[in-house]
Amino acid sequence: MSHSELQQINSFLSAFARRQAARTVDLPGGFAAYDDAFAHSRANNQVVIDTAVDSEALPAIAEEALGHLPHRLISVLDDEVGMACAQPLIRNGYTHSTYLIMLHTGPVPAGGSAEELDLDAMRIPLARRWRDLLPDVDDEVIRHLVDRREARRRGADIVHFLGARTDEGEIASWADLYLDPATGTAQIEDLITSEAHLRRGYADAVLTTALRLAADKDCGTRFLTADAEDWPRHWYERRGFSVIGHTHCFERG
């Protein structure tokens, strides 16, 4: 594992959350990120812990920062800090998820047939995907989860929304690509294929395009995050990604 690359990635994740936010408030160990325009989006209204923190004090810190919301999300970027915070947060009703930081160590593939999309083109497949995942929420929640993608444009110097289409023009798979050429960092985020188009190569087209665009911008540190308990991690490993670290998410409500 490259310690310097892991630090670089964690710094990028922290900076992205700050830049994306409509406003931030500094807290012990990190900050709270808020965006009232997307109040139903946990990722846009959360606590980010990016340095050492008193683990026993963290539940109270989060409660003060997020107490006006019906949900809580705490992202802890450092693995050791996240493990130390797990028990105090679980005792306070949080669920704990671990995410893998996966660095692209394989060769950069040539080409890539995905295209850049605007948010309007993505609204229908995004809304359909969220409705499948959250069938009981109201339309306002779905709208926030779709429209919040526009706020991501603030998170990095260069932001691409990429998609692969079927022969009929339907968007079958999509992902975000965040680039910071100044530090040589690129993140691929939310790579998703619609249920109707799985196992037909569309995700490969999106991933290949993202990796090539990142390499063309001299971003040598190309990474993504994947749920430690879910199958896509193995799909990414077969495409040249290796686990170099972990982050932790704690949710309640």
Side-chain angles (χ1 to χ4, degrees), residues 115-126 149-150 153 160-163 165 171 174:
E115 64 185 79
E116 185 158 10
L117 305 170
D118 60 27
L119 182 58
D120 285 342
M122 299 175 69
R123 288 184 191 280
I124 291 176
L126 281 171
R149 228 174 185 90
E150 192 61 42
R153 293 191 183 279
H160 295 299
F161 302 143
L162 303 174
R165 295 182 183 269
I171 298 171
W174 59 89

Side-chain angles (χ1 to χ4, degrees), residues 35-92:
D35 195 329
D36 295 340
F38 308 111
H40 294 291
S41 169
R42 299 184 182 206
N44 294 80
N45 297 274
Q46 65 165 315
V47 167
V48 178
I49 300 299
D50 55 7
T51 60
V53 68
D54 181 346
S55 60
E56 294 293 340
L58 184 54
I61 292 170
E63 196 62 28
E64 182 174 354
L66 304 175
H68 62 292
L69 296 168
H71 52 74
R72 310 282 184 272
L73 173 62
I74 305 170
S75 297
V76 183
L77 302 183
D78 181 82
D79 187 20
E80 185 176 346
V81 174
M83 292 303 295
C85 293
Q87 287 307 311
L89 288 169
I90 290 170
R91 288 198 304 268
N92 279 269

Side-chain angles (χ1 to χ4, degrees), residues 214-225:
D216 289 346
K217 288 295 184 180
D218 296 322
C219 291
T221 300
R222 299 176 293 274
F223 80 98
L224 51 79
T225 62

